[in-house]
Amino acid sequence: MPLENTMMQQCLMLEEEDENSNTGSAEFKDDWEEDENWTDPQWEDHLCWSERNSVAAGHSSNKELPSVNGACHQKGLVSRMMLNDDKAGMEGLDKEKINQIIYEVSKGSRFYENEKKKDEQVNKRIQEQYDKIQKINESQLKQGLEAADILLEELERARDLSYTIVHIDMDAFYAAVEMRDNPSLKDKPMAVGGNSMLSTSNYHARKFGVRAAMPGFIGKKLCPDLVIVPPNFEKYTSVSRQIREIMAEYDPNFCPMSLDEAYLDITEYIKKREKMSDFERSYICRDSQNVPLTLCQCDLNRTLREKVFSQTASDGNSNSVLSHLSNKCSHFENGSCSQCVFTYSCTSSNNSAGSEISSKTTEGRSSGQMVGEQNLHEAECFSCQECGKICPEFRLVTFGFGADESVREMRFRIEQRTRLTASAGIAANMMLAKVCSDKNKPNGQYRLPNTRDAVMQFIKDLPIRKISGIGKVSEKMLKAIGIQTCTDLFNQRSLLYHLYSPISFNYFMRISIGMGSTTVERDSERKSISIERTFREMDKPSDMYDLCRELCHALSEDLREEKIKGRTVGIKLKTVAFDVKTRAYTLANHTSDTDVIYEAARGLLRTEIQTCAPQPLRLRLMGVRISSLLHESLCKREKRQNTITGFIKQKSQKQKVEQSSFDLQAVGHNIEPQFIEQGVDILQPANKVDLLASKPTVDSKVTKQDIYKCHTVEDESLQAIETPMQSQDRTEKEDPRIVDVTVQDSDCRAAVQDSHCRAAVQDEDCQAAVQDVDSVAIVHVEATAYSAQYENNRTAVFISKDSCVLKEKVNKDDRTGGICGSLLKSNKCPLNSFISAKSLSEQRRDSGSNDEINYFQLGDLKEMNLINLDSKSSDSSKQSINEIPQTAAEDVTNTFNRESSIYQADLVTFLCPVCNKNISCANEEEINLHIDVCLKGQEHIDLNQTGFQTPDYSKVRKSTPHKTNVNRTEENSNQTCNESQPHDSNYHRRLSSTHEKNQSGSKQTEPFTLSREDDSVRETVLSDGKEEILGLICPVCYMEQRDQDLDIFNSHVDTCLSKGTISQILEEQRQSEKANLKR
DNA sequence: GCGGATCAG
DNA sequence: ATGGCTGATCCGC
Ligand SMILES: Nc1ccn([C@H]2C[C@H](O)[C@@H](COP(=O)(O)OP(=O)(O)OP(=O)(O)O)O2)c(=O)n1
Ligand SMILES: [Mg+2]
């Protein structure tokens, strides 16, 4: 209370300043006073209230927090746990009693303890807020007030009351659908969801305090008769589609906010409507929504409306009939404008559709008694063209003009179509419309006139909590400084100016004068995709990794389905104490690859497990999210990111070599060492070309972004690499080795595993292997070189363990030429390389050139300063070794011995040539695995991490913040039923194994069961029960093979090869993918 | 860019 | 005994 007093003192100061400042900005003040009812008793009231509550100055800074939400009345129950009765249909409840029950059920639970913790944190924030206030002096307050008034003046000038915005919201949506489809629920309190969480409840249940986001078991306590029905997302989606079809007719650019609500701008529509005929404003109304199944159940306005009109019109008395028979439809709400002009009834006779519609419109059917009057001629029955059944009795209702009638008509049509009711709000902006739609809920509408007076009056006593964007916490924080209504927001504007960010301040100020967005537009593209699951306590890391992989798999499927890729991978962990942690890692390039996502996620997860050790991490939820999304087609070609060839090519010297081809003789596998050597010999001369001779822009696919400044030897090389070329000419002069990077269309994969270095490549052939710390060989062979003769045929090159090419040292000069194959310093390099060819025609299409190009470069990491052997180059990565982020790739070692290796020491640091970071690795395998992951998941870090994006910090917060994206997969948006049978069809589709909590009473002792991915190819004969690791990827079927034994792997490849051509296999895969999608 | 928190539905 | 899931935004660092 003392705090509150002090607050109020501040408020008083504010008010005083206000008085002063009003003289300062006379123009605005006048305006405000005139139009704003500044002298309105209500405003006076507020001022008085402020003053009343202000006491003599109290300045101690650690006051008791003011009681908010009346928490003190509810012993023990923190405010955030108390019932929110802000929802429609929850007025006048016995809150005390309900909260008591909630408390009884909740106390002592982990959830509750966590809520208490969070509540304390909020209280701390409030205390901080208070401390901040203490530091504000008078002149600052005055300055804040001036700033606020300037802003308000600006806003006021921009106020536009010319729009008619509608917010439509279905009533108790999920519950209403379930009640519609199961009428026995109609008179019962019911909710949709499961025992652990409810999505929503019907209005009957709301009377008991049962509401959305409440656990089912608490709902049951509040209302023992509560019926809980599982959700059925397909139905909701389908209904949503129906209502959106209708909405689109009123505003084709309407903005759906969720399955059940949307904003519409009907400004234009209303004008258009003025010219609409009675027919066009008339809709069929079924006399009864519950007709026997023997009669047509279809939406008559869809199936019959046109027909009725055309037949009526053909009778030549179209409008006259309607206007003549302007019977009021009394049962129809508000009947003031909407009129029933036509009735139709029919016996069960099965005659063809009536041809004399006009005859069915009888004048005798006057006011109020449209129904119940006698059937007309039996011969006049309509039969539905869709279901063939006879149409039930209906009337025709004509709606008037203007916003009210338009919206009424829309709601009417929605009800006719779906047998569900909607509520609507009509106002000058979205913020107000949203508030209005709740006013006459359910099944009602409310329009706020588009006048400033009406708006201000409406806003005046409106609790801020009603405004979208102000939730429980904001309410509490604001209440702590005496703000409960929108008027309070205005009065405390100076304080708000000092306490909150410009964005929030702007947001509050707009609310305070009833302003909101008037631009109803669909949200831009989605910004993230995620999946998360709650399960019974989990503490075994292996289980966690398994689950994590499944989540990643599901996520990657979703990404591919939407044809997008992401760059930032994040995980979310919720401990059994409900502590939520999120971790994220941004890759250098976009991906939708399960493995890449998983490696990143696993790295993050591992770090958390480590951080927790030796205590086990005890989880109740895990999630994976991916953001920084980009449409597939806008992402850089995968080839470039997936081959170390492509990568090094950009980072080291670049060459655009003369086009030369060579004939790849070896088909099948086991390339002989001499073959490779031969290739090198063949290519070397041809590749020695003057780099400057070929202009970077010769190839149409070269874009500026593809051009990098690449030094190879200089110390500052790494910085240089990270800088996209500013001026082509200049850089070219600076360094003759700067070349363009050609984007090519291929799909390469690289994987390094165990002590093997291996690359598997598809489409075009790129292959690379890294071995040893100080040397690397890069090969990039354009498939066209040899694909001609193998068009539509698999071309596989297999370098067996034995045939690994060894080479003493890669000279700088050697970079100019080469052929497929890879060579390394160490002779323990077991290298597998696979090349599959792309058809010649495809190649030509891709390259845009008839001439084939062979790129072959050999690089030496050491020479290129990419291996960090001294501290100098580590500077270039801008990170000290101690600050190395734990990237996904760094985690690769633990694939093999997840737990044990965590504590292994003796790490070697090397500078990864791909991600350009210092990496601590225990051994070569780790390095190789790291590079592999980098290659798969990262691309040109130079380009993406140079931070060239212009910061676009707008101080204007959206009037409706936190607006959710509507383009998401909405069927997935809710999951409140985690019973044994999840009811979201996608729930099953997305995760192949069920980690969900077991149903109560389940005897299963394990928290979950794991099943392998449905990918049967993975369950190959090669599997010998070894722990799954990053497998070899078959170049033919592209399936990862778990077995590491090269012989077995080779035989797998042989088997694959014998099955058919690559194209056939690919086709099969495509087909099966399609089939899977359909399923 | 990351992590925590808030908000909506 | 049982306390969801998806997505967005903002803030502070
Ligand atoms: N925490 C929440 C809130 C809502 N929903 C779902 C179920 C609701 O049926 C639907 C629409 O949300 P509304 O807020 O519009 O609530 P209702 O439509 O159920 O009720 P009403 O709009 O009548 O208040 O979204 C959910 O899954 N979880
Ligand atoms: Mg609703």
Side-chain angles (χ1 to χ4, degrees):
Chain A
M1 185 51 87
L3 171 70
E4 202 154 7
N5 291 339
T6 312
M7 294 290 190
M8 289 313 121
Q9 186 230 343
Q10 296 289 349
C11 300
L12 180 63
M13 287 168 65
L14 257 166
E15 298 307 330
E16 285 166 356
E17 291 295 333
D18 191 21
E19 299 294 327
N20 297 338
S21 82
N22 275 347
T23 58
S25 66
E27 199 182 306
F28 177 65
K29 188 204 80 177
D30 288 343
D31 178 49
W32 188 262
E33 280 183 356
E34 260 174 33
D35 301 350
E36 198 56 49
N37 296 328
W38 188 235
T39 52
D40 181 296
Q42 293 294 337
W43 285 93
E44 294 296 324
D45 276 356
H46 178 68
L47 291 174
C48 293
W49 174 83
S50 250
E51 272 173 289
R52 261 199 314 275
N53 285 278
S54 64
V55 210
H59 351 280
S60 52
S61 60
N62 272 313
K63 303 281 184 172
E64 232 175 77
L65 290 166
S67 82
V68 178
N69 261 349
C72 55
H73 301 306
Q74 210 71 42
K75 239 192 293 176
L77 188 58
V78 290
S79 60
R80 62 185 304 113
M81 286 274 301
M82 301 200 313
L83 178 76
N84 259 334
D85 57 354
D86 56 304
K87 232 175 170 16
M90 303 197 70
E91 303 83 11
L93 300 182
D94 186 349
K95 261 190 106 178
E96 197 91 358
K97 192 176 151 200
I98 292 170
N99 283 327
Q100 190 59 39
I101 294 176
I102 294 177
Y103 176 63
E104 290 300 329
V105 184
S106 299
K107 66 178 176 198
S109 70
R110 284 171 174 154
F111 180 82
Y112 181 69
E113 290 306 309
N114 186 253
E115 289 299 297
K116 268 208 310 217
K117 205 180 83 193
K118 288 200 276 186
D119 203 59
E120 277 157 23
Q121 273 174 9
V122 171
N123 286 340
K124 208 177 116 209
R125 276 176 67 189
I126 290 174
Q127 180 69 49
E128 284 164 12
Q129 187 179 244
Y130 170 73
D131 292 344
K132 219 166 163 182
I133 290 173
Q134 294 300 302
K135 297 202 181 91
I136 301 172
N137 61 33
E138 272 195 35
S139 84
Q140 284 172 322
L141 267 183
K142 184 170 179 179
Q143 179 234 326
L145 198 61
E146 281 164 12
D149 285 344
I150 288 171
L151 172 63
L152 285 167
E153 195 177 353
E154 213 173 279
L155 290 174
E156 191 61 54
R157 263 201 302 270
R159 193 199 287 267
D160 187 347
L161 292 168
S162 67
Y163 287 89
T164 305
I165 309 294
V166 179
H167 180 252
I168 287 220
D169 187 331
M170 302 295 289
D171 304 322
F173 187 44
Y174 294 179
V177 172
E178 299 307 326
M179 285 160 70
R180 176 194 70 179
D181 298 344
N182 182 359
S184 74
L185 296 169
K186 281 218 160 106
D187 49 356
K188 294 181 186 138
M190 58 86 68
V192 177
N195 195 43
S196 50
M197 189 52 62
L198 303 177
S199 274
T200 194
S201 58
N202 66 4
Y203 281 72
H204 196 337
R206 288 183 199 190
K207 292 204 191 92
F208 295 85
V210 178
R211 53 159 299 155
M214 175 182 278
F217 62 88
I218 291 186
K220 275 254 164 81
K221 278 273 176 7
L222 291 172
C223 172
D225 291 333
L226 182 71
V227 180
I228 298 176
V229 304
N232 192 334
F233 292 99
E234 295 79 24
K235 281 203 286 192
Y236 314 143
T237 310
S238 149
V239 170
S240 185
R241 235 190 334 265
Q242 293 179 325
I243 66 175
R244 286 178 190 186
E245 260 175 41
I246 293 170
M247 292 177 193
E249 289 184 38
Y250 298 82
D251 176 11
N253 299 315
F254 77 105
C255 174
M257 297 300 292
S258 66
L259 286 183
D260 89 316
E261 64 178 83
Y263 288 97
L264 293 83
D265 176 355
I266 59 166
T267 316
E268 286 306 308
Y269 173 83
I270 290 173
K271 288 181 202 156
K272 220 172 61 188
R273 190 177 172 92
E274 294 297 329
K275 301 193 206 73
M276 283 167 62
S277 71
D278 285 0
F279 268 166
E280 290 170 300
R281 301 185 336 272
S282 298
Y283 288 89
I284 292 173
C285 171
R286 304 173 84 109
D287 283 344
S288 165
Q289 290 290 3
N290 296 315
V291 294
L293 289 174
T294 51
L295 294 178
C296 169
Q297 308 280 325
C298 302
D299 174 20
L300 298 180
N301 279 306
R302 202 164 40 85
T303 58
L304 207 56
R305 184 165 172 261
E306 294 295 323
K307 194 170 174 181
V308 170
F309 287 167
S310 63
Q311 294 196 15
T312 309
S314 67
D315 288 342
N317 51 6
S318 57
N319 262 0
S320 65
V321 171
L322 295 175
S323 55
H324 183 56
L325 300 168
S326 55
N327 301 331
K328 280 206 172 168
C329 185
S330 67
H331 105 283
F332 195 68
E333 60 180 281
N334 289 2
S336 58
C337 298
S338 315
Q339 302 187 339
C340 174
V341 293
F342 175 95
T343 69
Y344 153 85
S345 61
C346 185
T347 62
S348 58
S349 172
N350 190 17
N351 285 311
S352 60
S355 54
E356 309 156 20
I357 290 183
S358 61
S359 76
K360 280 181 278 178
T361 64
T362 57
E363 290 184 60
R365 208 147 296 150
S366 55
S367 46
Q369 33 173 323
M370 43 267 332
V371 200
E373 264 194 65
Q374 57 325 265
N375 301 329
L376 300 174
H377 328 291
E378 296 186 358
E380 292 159 6
C381 289
F382 289 105
S383 64
C384 177
Q385 287 180 333
E386 283 189 11
C387 67
K389 292 176 186 168
I390 294 179
C391 296
E393 298 178 353
F394 66 84
R395 290 160 289 143
L396 206 54
V397 179
T398 303
F399 293 85
F401 301 94
D404 285 312
E405 279 297 293
S406 304
V407 171
R408 205 186 313 286
E409 175 186 291
M410 190 163 32
R411 293 200 299 117
F412 172 79
R413 291 178 62 191
I414 287 173
E415 185 176 1
Q416 289 299 310
R417 178 90 183 257
T418 65
R419 292 190 288 144
L420 301 167
T421 63
S423 299
I426 309 161
N429 62 56
M430 292 164 75
M431 178 223 110
L432 294 171
K434 166 88 186 155
V435 177
C436 289
S437 70
D438 230 36
K439 227 167 165 83
N440 283 327
K441 208 173 223 314
N443 197 15
Q445 63 187 66
Y446 180 89
R447 184 174 63 85
L448 177 62
N450 280 19
T451 66
R452 195 167 177 283
D453 274 352
V455 170
M456 296 313 296
Q457 192 65 28
F458 183 81
I459 278 294
K460 201 177 54 183
D461 293 323
L462 190 67
I464 50 170
R465 183 66 168 88
K466 294 271 182 196
I467 281 116
S468 174
I470 297 184
K472 232 187 279 204
V473 174
S474 302
E475 179 189 32
K476 187 171 175 175
M477 303 254 317
L478 291 170
K479 188 167 182 175
I481 54 174
I483 296 173
Q484 279 178 290
T485 67
C486 296
T487 301
D488 298 338
L489 278 177
F490 175 81
N491 288 337
Q492 302 287 56
R493 57 196 183 283
S494 176
L495 209 47
L496 292 172
Y497 172 83
H498 288 291
L499 293 178
Y500 292 88
S501 73
I503 291 176
S504 296
F505 176 66
N506 194 296
Y507 170 67
F508 291 144
M509 288 305 97
R510 287 165 65 90
I511 293 170
S512 79
I513 58 171
M515 281 183 68
S517 170
T518 54
T519 48
V520 173
E521 52 191 14
R522 276 181 167 74
D523 279 343
S524 49
E525 268 121 44
R526 68 147 85 231
K527 294 174 180 60
S528 72
I529 306 189
S530 67
I531 177 169
E532 66 188 52
R533 286 294 178 267
T534 294
F535 38 80
R536 262 184 34 199
E537 176 168 348
M538 180 185 286
D539 55 13
K540 286 218 294 286
S542 59
D543 290 343
M544 295 177 192
Y545 289 118
D546 285 340
L547 174 57
C548 184
R549 180 171 243 298
E550 290 208 43
L551 292 168
C552 291
H553 183 253
L555 191 62
S556 125
E557 277 190 339
D558 286 353
L559 282 168
R560 287 195 296 266
E561 219 165 85
E562 300 207 25
K563 297 195 185 308
I564 48 179
K565 296 182 175 193
R567 209 159 73 87
T568 302
V569 176
I571 61 165
K572 173 174 168 180
L573 305 173
K574 183 146 73 184
T575 67
V576 289
F578 290 90
D579 225 12
V580 176
K581 282 185 183 49
T582 60
R583 296 289 178 266
Y585 177 74
T586 299
L587 305 166
N589 68 313
H590 296 81
T591 188
S592 58
D593 186 309
T594 301
D595 294 334
V596 176
I597 297 169
Y598 175 57
E599 289 308 316
R602 192 160 60 81
L604 297 166
L605 174 58
R606 181 194 137 212
T607 305
E608 291 314 302
I609 294 173
Q610 278 179 291
T611 308
C612 211
Q615 253 78 28
L617 186 59
R618 301 172 62 198
L619 297 182
R620 81 175 336 264
L621 172 144
M622 186 189 299
V624 183
R625 171 176 300 268
I626 188 158
S627 51
S628 314
L629 303 180
L630 210 54
H631 191 272
E632 265 179 7
S633 60
L634 297 175
C635 296
K636 292 173 206 139
R637 299 296 187 169
E638 226 166 81
K639 177 197 106 192
R640 293 197 317 171
Q641 41 194 315
N642 279 345
T643 66
I644 196 162
T645 316
F647 176 77
I648 299 288
K649 203 164 72 175
Q650 296 152 44
K651 301 203 70 165
S652 63
Q653 63 182 116
K654 300 294 186 262
Q655 299 182 351
K656 182 154 191 177
V657 295
E658 272 298 270
Q659 309 185 342
S660 66
S661 59
F662 62 92
D663 201 359
L664 190 57
Q665 298 292 336
V667 182
H669 53 272
N670 292 348
I671 295 180
E672 296 306 315
Q674 61 272 25
F675 168 70
I676 291 172
E677 297 287 278
Q678 180 194 354
V680 172
D681 289 342
I682 290 171
L683 282 186
Q684 259 182 355
N687 284 337
K688 288 192 174 175
V689 292
D690 180 2
L691 292 173
L692 292 177
S694 57
K695 281 190 178 178
T697 50
V698 161
D699 190 317
S700 61
K701 286 178 184 169
V702 178
T703 69
K704 193 168 180 183
Q705 292 193 333
D706 294 319
I707 300 168
Y708 295 83
K709 183 178 173 185
C710 298
H711 302 259
T712 54
V713 186
E714 285 78 8
D715 286 340
E716 66 276 23
S717 61
L718 291 173
Q719 280 107 328
I721 286 168
E722 288 189 356
T723 310
M725 200 177 82
Q726 305 287 328
S727 155
Q728 230 169 265
D729 293 335
R730 217 194 72 213
T731 30
E732 275 180 14
K733 275 169 204 152
E734 273 173 20
D735 189 334
R737 285 167 299 188
I738 292 166
V739 296
D740 61 290
V741 177
T742 305
V743 182
Q744 285 160 1
D745 191 21
S746 71
D747 179 4
C748 302
R749 298 189 192 176
V752 184
Q753 171 196 335
D754 207 353
S755 59
H756 309 294
C757 302
R758 173 193 55 84
V761 181
Q762 47 192 88
D763 281 357
E764 287 186 12
D765 51 298
C766 301
Q767 52 131 0
V770 180
Q771 170 75 19
D772 238 352
V773 191
D774 56 355
S775 78
V776 63
I778 302 105
V779 180
H780 181 165
V781 182
E782 183 104 0
T784 46
Y786 55 85
S787 64
Q789 64 189 103
Y790 304 116
E791 191 164 349
N792 282 330
N793 248 318
R794 287 170 308 290
T795 304
V797 180
F798 189 158
I799 304 173
S800 75
K801 201 171 181 172
D802 301 325
S803 62
C804 178
V805 184
L806 305 180
K807 190 166 177 177
E808 282 301 314
K809 169 117 172 101
V810 181
N811 293 320
K812 207 158 136 191
D813 289 344
D814 287 338
R815 292 199 191 103
T816 53
I819 181 186
C820 76
S822 154
L823 30 111
L824 300 159
K825 216 174 165 184
S826 158
N827 57 2
K828 352 169 238 190
C829 171
L831 171 72
N832 308 318
S833 291
F834 299 99
I835 301 175
S836 66
K838 198 173 191 173
S839 77
L840 180 61
S841 54
E842 263 181 284
Q843 278 298 318
R844 291 212 161 119
R845 207 165 47 241
D846 292 344
S847 69
S849 160
N850 285 334
D851 301 315
E852 278 74 53
I853 305 171
N854 291 317
Y855 291 103
F856 182 55
Q857 298 174 339
L858 300 178
D860 182 325
L861 284 183
K862 189 173 178 181
E863 261 188 79
M864 290 187 285
N865 277 354
L866 292 174
I867 297 297
N868 179 22
L869 293 181
D870 53 30
S871 60
K872 197 162 53 175
S873 54
S874 75
D875 294 337
S876 58
S877 72
K878 292 174 187 132
Q879 278 168 330
S880 80
I881 293 171
N882 291 334
E883 295 170 337
I884 300 167
Q886 289 289 314
T887 69
E890 289 162 52
D891 184 47
V892 288
T893 331
N894 281 340
T895 316
F896 304 97
N897 41 1
R898 284 169 182 155
E899 269 73 55
S900 59
S901 73
I902 289 174
Y903 305 103
Q904 283 175 4
D906 275 353
L907 300 182
V908 171
T909 300
F910 89 107
L911 185 64
C912 171
V914 184
C915 70
N916 200 23
K917 284 176 180 157
N918 286 309
I919 305 301
S920 302
C921 288
N923 51 40
E924 289 171 16
E925 295 96 85
E926 280 198 40
I927 294 172
N928 289 334
L929 277 170
H930 169 90
I931 291 176
D932 169 50
V933 171
C934 277
L935 286 172
K936 276 183 124 181
Q938 308 200 353
E939 201 175 330
H940 311 295
I941 53 175
D942 347 30
L943 182 68
N944 287 314
Q945 293 181 350
T946 40
F948 277 151
Q949 70 276 31
T950 49
D952 180 26
Y953 182 74
S954 164
K955 288 201 170 185
V956 181
R957 181 176 173 181
K958 274 187 197 167
S959 195
T960 305
H962 314 305
K963 200 167 106 178
T964 56
N965 194 308
V966 298
N967 295 327
R968 63 188 187 187
T969 314
E970 285 172 313
E971 307 91 273
N972 296 341
S973 62
N974 311 70
Q975 186 57 52
T976 51
C977 183
N978 68 347
E979 313 292 282
S980 61
Q981 292 280 26
H983 297 275
D984 174 0
S985 64
N986 280 311
Y987 198 71
H988 273 320
R989 185 185 60 74
R990 287 168 57 121
L991 277 193
S992 62
S993 56
T994 48
H995 294 275
E996 289 76 49
K997 283 183 139 188
N998 288 323
Q999 184 182 18
S1000 59
S1002 163
K1003 284 190 175 177
Q1004 204 173 337
T1005 49
E1006 292 294 319
F1008 56 85
T1009 54
L1010 282 173
S1011 71
R1012 277 282 152 219
E1013 295 293 322
D1014 51 350
D1015 189 348
S1016 59
V1017 189
R1018 280 172 195 246
E1019 311 265 24
T1020 59
V1021 289
L1022 301 175
S1023 175
D1024 62 1
K1026 278 185 197 167
E1027 165 130 60
E1028 188 189 358
I1029 57 166
L1030 256 181
L1032 297 162
I1033 296 172
C1034 169
V1036 184
C1037 68
Y1038 300 148
M1039 291 300 172
E1040 195 172 304
Q1041 304 302 309
R1042 268 192 256 148
D1043 202 285
Q1044 295 174 71
D1045 187 307
L1046 288 179
D1047 290 333
I1048 296 179
F1049 183 59
N1050 282 341
S1051 72
H1052 165 86
V1053 176
D1054 282 335
T1055 309
C1056 264
L1057 285 170
S1058 65
K1059 274 184 194 159
T1061 64
I1062 281 182
S1063 58
Q1064 280 168 339
I1065 292 174
L1066 286 177
E1067 186 52 33
E1068 280 165 25
Q1069 280 188 347
R1070 259 178 240 127
Q1071 296 294 344
S1072 82
E1073 264 172 37
K1074 262 188 210 163
N1076 275 336
L1077 272 178
K1078 276 178 189 162
R1079 239 184 287 133

